[in-house]
Amino acid sequence: MYAIVETGGKQYKVEEGRYVDVELLGADKDAKIVFDKVVMLVNGKKSKVGQPYVANASVEGVVLKNDRAKKIIVFKQRPKKGYRRKQGHRQGFCRVMINKIRTTAQKSKSAEAAESAEA
């Protein structure tokens, strides 16, 4: 079973027990993360495609580390003008271990308390 989730303006294929490197989330190490924007769920031959997102689906994970990728070199040059600029860049990323892919989102404790109060 795998899912396609959207975060940081990009879409990632995630599976339980694997990690994925996403844009920085602003979360500390060992923090729990929930991705609510699930674009697609695939379980064997069955699949659900969201319009734009799958209803009541979520993906849970834990932040393993916040790090920076390998350095890339940005080099600009204009021929015959003596113009050269060299610049390096390291993009930050957040490594998330995927623990659970849920097809139905669990209700929060506050929502459960509100429902029990109404009954």
Short mmCIF file of all heavy atoms in Angstrom, two decimals, residues 27-70:
data_model
loop_
_atom_site.label_atom_id
_atom_site.label_comp_id
_atom_site.label_asym_id
_atom_site.label_seq_id
_atom_site.Cartn_x
_atom_site.Cartn_y
_atom_site.Cartn_z
N ALA A 27 9.52 21.47 12.11
CA ALA A 27 9.29 20.59 13.25
C ALA A 27 10.63 20.08 13.76
O ALA A 27 11.58 19.92 13.01
CB ALA A 27 8.41 19.42 12.84
N ASP A 28 10.70 19.83 15.06
CA ASP A 28 11.92 19.32 15.68
C ASP A 28 12.05 17.82 15.45
O ASP A 28 11.11 17.15 15.03
CB ASP A 28 11.90 19.60 17.18
CG ASP A 28 11.95 21.08 17.49
OD1 ASP A 28 12.53 21.83 16.68
OD2 ASP A 28 11.40 21.49 18.53
N LYS A 29 13.24 17.31 15.77
CA LYS A 29 13.51 15.87 15.66
C LYS A 29 12.57 15.12 16.60
O LYS A 29 12.25 15.58 17.68
CB LYS A 29 14.97 15.59 16.03
CG LYS A 29 15.37 14.16 15.87
CD LYS A 29 16.81 13.96 16.22
CE LYS A 29 17.15 12.49 16.14
NZ LYS A 29 18.51 12.22 16.56
N ASP A 30 12.10 13.95 16.17
CA ASP A 30 11.18 13.07 16.89
C ASP A 30 9.78 13.65 17.04
O ASP A 30 8.98 13.13 17.81
CB ASP A 30 11.73 12.68 18.27
CG ASP A 30 13.02 11.89 18.17
OD1 ASP A 30 13.18 11.14 17.18
OD2 ASP A 30 13.88 12.01 19.07
N ALA A 31 9.45 14.70 16.31
CA ALA A 31 8.09 15.25 16.34
C ALA A 31 7.20 14.44 15.41
O ALA A 31 7.65 13.95 14.38
CB ALA A 31 8.10 16.71 15.92
N LYS A 32 5.94 14.29 15.79
CA LYS A 32 4.98 13.56 14.96
C LYS A 32 4.40 14.52 13.92
O LYS A 32 4.05 15.65 14.23
CB LYS A 32 3.88 12.96 15.81
CG LYS A 32 4.38 11.86 16.71
CD LYS A 32 3.27 11.18 17.43
CE LYS A 32 3.84 10.07 18.31
NZ LYS A 32 2.79 9.32 19.00
N ILE A 33 4.29 14.03 12.70
CA ILE A 33 3.78 14.82 11.58
C ILE A 33 2.60 14.07 10.97
O ILE A 33 2.64 12.85 10.82
CB ILE A 33 4.88 15.01 10.50
CG1 ILE A 33 6.07 15.75 11.07
CG2 ILE A 33 4.33 15.72 9.29
CD1 ILE A 33 5.82 17.19 11.40
N VAL A 34 1.55 14.82 10.60
CA VAL A 34 0.40 14.23 9.92
C VAL A 34 0.21 14.98 8.61
O VAL A 34 0.08 16.20 8.60
CB VAL A 34 -0.88 14.33 10.78
CG1 VAL A 34 -2.07 13.79 10.01
CG2 VAL A 34 -0.70 13.58 12.08
N PHE A 35 0.23 14.24 7.50
CA PHE A 35 -0.03 14.81 6.18
C PHE A 35 -1.50 14.56 5.86
O PHE A 35 -1.91 13.41 5.68
CB PHE A 35 0.87 14.16 5.12
CG PHE A 35 2.34 14.35 5.36
CD1 PHE A 35 3.12 13.30 5.82
CD2 PHE A 35 2.94 15.57 5.13
CE1 PHE A 35 4.47 13.47 6.03
CE2 PHE A 35 4.29 15.75 5.34
CZ PHE A 35 5.06 14.70 5.80
N ASP A 36 -2.29 15.64 5.78
CA ASP A 36 -3.72 15.51 5.50
C ASP A 36 -4.04 15.57 4.01
O ASP A 36 -5.08 15.11 3.57
CB ASP A 36 -4.50 16.61 6.21
CG ASP A 36 -4.44 16.44 7.72
OD1 ASP A 36 -4.31 15.30 8.18
OD2 ASP A 36 -4.54 17.47 8.44
N LYS A 37 -3.15 16.16 3.24
CA LYS A 37 -3.40 16.33 1.81
C LYS A 37 -2.95 15.09 1.05
O LYS A 37 -1.88 15.04 0.47
CB LYS A 37 -2.67 17.57 1.30
CG LYS A 37 -3.19 18.85 1.90
CD LYS A 37 -2.46 20.03 1.35
CE LYS A 37 -3.01 21.32 1.91
NZ LYS A 37 -2.30 22.48 1.36
N VAL A 38 -3.80 14.06 1.07
CA VAL A 38 -3.52 12.80 0.38
C VAL A 38 -4.20 12.88 -0.99
O VAL A 38 -5.42 12.98 -1.09
CB VAL A 38 -4.04 11.59 1.18
CG1 VAL A 38 -3.79 10.31 0.43
CG2 VAL A 38 -3.39 11.56 2.55
N VAL A 39 -3.40 12.85 -2.05
CA VAL A 39 -3.90 12.99 -3.41
C VAL A 39 -4.42 11.66 -3.94
O VAL A 39 -5.41 11.61 -4.65
CB VAL A 39 -2.80 13.56 -4.33
CG1 VAL A 39 -3.29 13.69 -5.75
CG2 VAL A 39 -2.33 14.90 -3.80
N MET A 40 -3.74 10.55 -3.55
CA MET A 40 -4.11 9.24 -4.09
C MET A 40 -3.71 8.14 -3.12
O MET A 40 -2.68 8.24 -2.46
CB MET A 40 -3.39 9.03 -5.43
CG MET A 40 -3.72 7.78 -6.15
SD MET A 40 -2.94 7.82 -7.77
CE MET A 40 -3.11 6.14 -8.26
N LEU A 41 -4.53 7.10 -3.02
CA LEU A 41 -4.25 5.91 -2.22
C LEU A 41 -4.28 4.69 -3.13
O LEU A 41 -5.21 4.55 -3.94
CB LEU A 41 -5.29 5.71 -1.13
CG LEU A 41 -5.22 6.60 0.10
CD1 LEU A 41 -6.46 6.42 0.94
CD2 LEU A 41 -3.99 6.27 0.91
N VAL A 42 -3.28 3.82 -3.01
CA VAL A 42 -3.24 2.61 -3.82
C VAL A 42 -3.02 1.43 -2.88
O VAL A 42 -2.06 1.41 -2.12
CB VAL A 42 -2.12 2.67 -4.88
CG1 VAL A 42 -2.05 1.37 -5.64
CG2 VAL A 42 -2.34 3.83 -5.80
N ASN A 43 -3.92 0.44 -2.94
CA ASN A 43 -3.81 -0.76 -2.13
C ASN A 43 -4.02 -1.95 -3.06
O ASN A 43 -5.16 -2.35 -3.34
CB ASN A 43 -4.84 -0.75 -1.00
CG ASN A 43 -4.62 -1.87 -0.03
OD1 ASN A 43 -3.68 -2.64 -0.15
ND2 ASN A 43 -5.49 -1.99 0.95
N GLY A 44 -2.91 -2.50 -3.55
CA GLY A 44 -3.01 -3.61 -4.50
C GLY A 44 -3.59 -3.12 -5.81
O GLY A 44 -3.06 -2.23 -6.45
N LYS A 45 -4.71 -3.70 -6.22
CA LYS A 45 -5.35 -3.28 -7.47
C LYS A 45 -6.40 -2.20 -7.24
O LYS A 45 -6.93 -1.65 -8.19
CB LYS A 45 -5.98 -4.48 -8.16
CG LYS A 45 -4.94 -5.46 -8.63
CD LYS A 45 -5.54 -6.51 -9.51
CE LYS A 45 -4.43 -7.43 -10.01
NZ LYS A 45 -4.87 -8.29 -11.08
N LYS A 46 -6.72 -1.93 -5.97
CA LYS A 46 -7.69 -0.89 -5.66
C LYS A 46 -6.97 0.44 -5.48
O LYS A 46 -5.89 0.51 -4.90
CB LYS A 46 -8.43 -1.22 -4.36
CG LYS A 46 -9.32 -2.43 -4.45
CD LYS A 46 -10.06 -2.64 -3.17
CE LYS A 46 -10.96 -3.85 -3.25
NZ LYS A 46 -11.71 -4.05 -2.01
N SER A 47 -7.58 1.51 -5.97
CA SER A 47 -7.00 2.83 -5.79
C SER A 47 -8.10 3.86 -5.63
O SER A 47 -9.20 3.69 -6.16
CB SER A 47 -6.09 3.20 -6.97
OG SER A 47 -6.84 3.28 -8.14
N LYS A 48 -7.80 4.89 -4.87
CA LYS A 48 -8.71 6.02 -4.68
C LYS A 48 -7.98 7.27 -5.13
O LYS A 48 -6.86 7.53 -4.70
CB LYS A 48 -9.09 6.18 -3.21
CG LYS A 48 -10.04 5.17 -2.69
CD LYS A 48 -10.42 5.51 -1.26
CE LYS A 48 -11.31 4.46 -0.66
NZ LYS A 48 -11.64 4.78 0.74
N VAL A 49 -8.63 8.05 -5.98
CA VAL A 49 -8.06 9.30 -6.45
C VAL A 49 -8.90 10.43 -5.89
O VAL A 49 -10.13 10.41 -6.00
CB VAL A 49 -8.02 9.36 -7.99
CG1 VAL A 49 -7.45 10.68 -8.46
CG2 VAL A 49 -7.22 8.20 -8.54
N GLY A 50 -8.25 11.39 -5.26
CA GLY A 50 -8.97 12.51 -4.67
C GLY A 50 -9.31 13.58 -5.67
O GLY A 50 -8.73 13.67 -6.75
N GLN A 51 -10.30 14.41 -5.29
CA GLN A 51 -10.71 15.51 -6.14
C GLN A 51 -10.81 16.78 -5.32
O GLN A 51 -11.91 17.14 -4.92
CB GLN A 51 -12.05 15.20 -6.81
CG GLN A 51 -11.98 14.03 -7.72
CD GLN A 51 -13.36 13.69 -8.27
OE1 GLN A 51 -14.36 14.28 -7.94
NE2 GLN A 51 -13.39 12.69 -9.13
N PRO A 52 -9.80 17.48 -4.92
CA PRO A 52 -8.39 17.23 -5.20
C PRO A 52 -7.73 16.28 -4.21
O PRO A 52 -6.67 15.73 -4.48
CB PRO A 52 -7.76 18.61 -5.09
CG PRO A 52 -8.58 19.32 -4.08
CD PRO A 52 -9.98 18.79 -4.28
N TYR A 53 -8.35 16.09 -3.00
CA TYR A 53 -7.75 15.22 -1.99
C TYR A 53 -8.72 14.11 -1.61
O TYR A 53 -9.93 14.27 -1.68
CB TYR A 53 -7.36 16.01 -0.74
CG TYR A 53 -6.47 17.18 -1.03
CD1 TYR A 53 -6.90 18.47 -0.82
CD2 TYR A 53 -5.20 16.98 -1.56
CE1 TYR A 53 -6.07 19.55 -1.10
CE2 TYR A 53 -4.38 18.05 -1.86
CZ TYR A 53 -4.83 19.33 -1.63
OH TYR A 53 -4.01 20.39 -1.93
N VAL A 54 -8.17 12.97 -1.16
CA VAL A 54 -8.98 11.84 -0.72
C VAL A 54 -9.60 12.20 0.63
O VAL A 54 -8.90 12.60 1.55
CB VAL A 54 -8.14 10.56 -0.60
CG1 VAL A 54 -8.98 9.40 -0.10
CG2 VAL A 54 -7.51 10.21 -1.93
N ALA A 55 -10.92 12.05 0.74
CA ALA A 55 -11.62 12.39 1.97
C ALA A 55 -11.25 11.40 3.08
O ALA A 55 -11.12 10.20 2.84
CB ALA A 55 -13.12 12.38 1.74
N ASN A 56 -11.08 11.91 4.29
CA ASN A 56 -10.82 11.11 5.49
C ASN A 56 -9.57 10.25 5.40
O ASN A 56 -9.51 9.18 5.98
CB ASN A 56 -12.02 10.24 5.83
CG ASN A 56 -13.25 11.05 6.11
OD1 ASN A 56 -13.16 12.15 6.66
ND2 ASN A 56 -14.39 10.56 5.70
N ALA A 57 -8.56 10.70 4.67
CA ALA A 57 -7.30 9.95 4.57
C ALA A 57 -6.17 10.81 5.13
O ALA A 57 -6.19 12.04 5.01
CB ALA A 57 -7.00 9.59 3.12
N SER A 58 -5.21 10.15 5.76
CA SER A 58 -4.05 10.87 6.29
C SER A 58 -2.86 9.93 6.35
O SER A 58 -3.01 8.71 6.32
CB SER A 58 -4.35 11.43 7.68
OG SER A 58 -4.56 10.39 8.60
N VAL A 59 -1.68 10.53 6.44
CA VAL A 59 -0.44 9.78 6.55
C VAL A 59 0.29 10.31 7.77
O VAL A 59 0.47 11.52 7.92
CB VAL A 59 0.43 9.95 5.29
CG1 VAL A 59 1.76 9.26 5.46
CG2 VAL A 59 -0.30 9.40 4.07
N GLU A 60 0.72 9.40 8.65
CA GLU A 60 1.41 9.78 9.88
C GLU A 60 2.88 9.41 9.79
O GLU A 60 3.23 8.36 9.24
CB GLU A 60 0.79 9.09 11.08
CG GLU A 60 -0.65 9.47 11.32
CD GLU A 60 -1.27 8.71 12.48
OE1 GLU A 60 -0.57 7.88 13.10
OE2 GLU A 60 -2.45 8.95 12.75
N GLY A 61 3.72 10.27 10.35
CA GLY A 61 5.15 10.00 10.34
C GLY A 61 5.85 10.69 11.49
O GLY A 61 5.26 11.44 12.25
N VAL A 62 7.15 10.41 11.61
CA VAL A 62 8.00 10.99 12.65
C VAL A 62 9.21 11.62 11.98
O VAL A 62 9.81 11.02 11.08
CB VAL A 62 8.45 9.91 13.66
CG1 VAL A 62 9.43 10.48 14.66
CG2 VAL A 62 7.27 9.30 14.35
N VAL A 63 9.59 12.82 12.42
CA VAL A 63 10.75 13.50 11.86
C VAL A 63 12.01 12.80 12.35
O VAL A 63 12.23 12.69 13.56
CB VAL A 63 10.76 14.99 12.27
CG1 VAL A 63 12.02 15.67 11.79
CG2 VAL A 63 9.54 15.70 11.72
N LEU A 64 12.84 12.32 11.43
CA LEU A 64 14.10 11.69 11.79
C LEU A 64 15.21 12.73 11.95
O LEU A 64 16.00 12.65 12.88
CB LEU A 64 14.51 10.66 10.73
CG LEU A 64 13.61 9.45 10.58
CD1 LEU A 64 14.13 8.54 9.48
CD2 LEU A 64 13.51 8.68 11.88
N LYS A 65 15.27 13.69 11.03
CA LYS A 65 16.28 14.74 11.12
C LYS A 65 15.96 15.89 10.19
O LYS A 65 15.21 15.74 9.22
CB LYS A 65 17.66 14.20 10.81
CG LYS A 65 17.88 13.79 9.36
CD LYS A 65 19.31 13.33 9.14
CE LYS A 65 19.54 12.92 7.70
NZ LYS A 65 20.92 12.58 7.45
N ASN A 66 16.50 17.04 10.52
CA ASN A 66 16.48 18.21 9.66
C ASN A 66 17.92 18.42 9.20
O ASN A 66 18.82 18.53 10.02
CB ASN A 66 15.99 19.45 10.41
CG ASN A 66 14.54 19.34 10.79
OD1 ASN A 66 13.70 19.05 9.95
ND2 ASN A 66 14.22 19.56 12.05
N ASP A 67 18.13 18.46 7.90
CA ASP A 67 19.49 18.51 7.38
C ASP A 67 19.52 19.36 6.12
O ASP A 67 18.52 19.93 5.72
CB ASP A 67 19.97 17.08 7.08
CG ASP A 67 21.48 16.94 7.12
OD1 ASP A 67 22.18 17.94 7.34
OD2 ASP A 67 21.96 15.81 6.91
N ARG A 68 20.69 19.41 5.51
CA ARG A 68 20.85 20.13 4.25
C ARG A 68 21.46 19.20 3.22
O ARG A 68 22.29 18.36 3.53
CB ARG A 68 21.73 21.35 4.47
CG ARG A 68 20.99 22.40 5.26
CD ARG A 68 21.81 23.55 5.74
NE ARG A 68 22.82 24.02 4.82
CZ ARG A 68 23.59 25.07 5.06
NH1 ARG A 68 23.43 25.75 6.16
NH2 ARG A 68 24.51 25.44 4.21
N ALA A 69 21.04 19.36 1.97
CA ALA A 69 21.49 18.49 0.88
C ALA A 69 22.92 18.85 0.48
O ALA A 69 23.51 19.81 0.99
CB ALA A 69 20.55 18.63 -0.30
N LYS A 70 23.47 18.10 -0.47
CA LYS A 70 24.81 18.38 -0.98
C LYS A 70 24.84 19.75 -1.64
O LYS A 70 23.83 20.23 -2.18
CB LYS A 70 25.23 17.33 -1.99
CG LYS A 70 25.60 16.01 -1.40
CD LYS A 70 26.17 15.11 -2.47
CE LYS A 70 26.82 13.89 -1.85
NZ LYS A 70 27.47 13.06 -2.87
#
